[in-house]
């Protein structure tokens, strides 16, 4: 699953942030969440679901990092 969807998650996250560390973290976490969750009713939409998780992860990481400043 990681090999299939990591690049899609990374590209989706890239549109929200240019920070490589945040991109990698968001994409990896999206794949892990998808592996650990079995809530998707339509398997054909898994890639879109992972992209959305990655985008949400970027947003959360950006909020978290901006609070530390």
């Amino acid at each position: 699953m990681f090999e299939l969807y990591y690049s899609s998650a990374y590209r989706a996250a890239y549109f929200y942030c240019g920070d490589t560390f945040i991109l990698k973290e968001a994409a990896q976490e999206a794949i892990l969440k998808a592996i650990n969750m079995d809530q998707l009713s339509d398997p054909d939409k898994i890639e879109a679901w992972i992209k959305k998780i990655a985008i949400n992860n970027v947003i959360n990481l950006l909020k978290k990092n901006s609070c530390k400043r």
Side-chain angles (χ1 to χ4, degrees):
M1 182 179 258
F2 186 86
E3 291 176 4
L4 288 173
Y5 299 112
Y6 178 79
S7 63
S8 293
Y10 186 90
R11 285 192 307 270
Y14 181 80
F15 288 106
Y16 284 83
C17 176
D19 185 313
T20 306
F21 175 77
I22 290 175
L23 293 172
K24 289 179 180 179
E25 180 75 20
Q28 290 172 6
E29 193 171 317
I31 301 297
L32 289 175
K33 284 181 181 179
I35 289 170
N36 292 326
M37 297 173 78
D38 191 28
Q39 297 178 1
L40 189 63
S41 59
D42 187 357
D44 294 332
K45 297 181 182 178
I46 191 164
E47 187 171 9
W49 187 51
I50 290 172
K51 287 179 182 180
K52 184 62 179 173
I53 295 171
I55 291 166
N56 289 338
N57 289 341
V58 167
I59 293 167
N60 291 335
L61 287 168
L62 288 173
K63 286 179 185 177
K64 182 178 171 182
N65 288 337
S66 70
C67 291
K68 290 183 178 180
R69 293 181 185 171

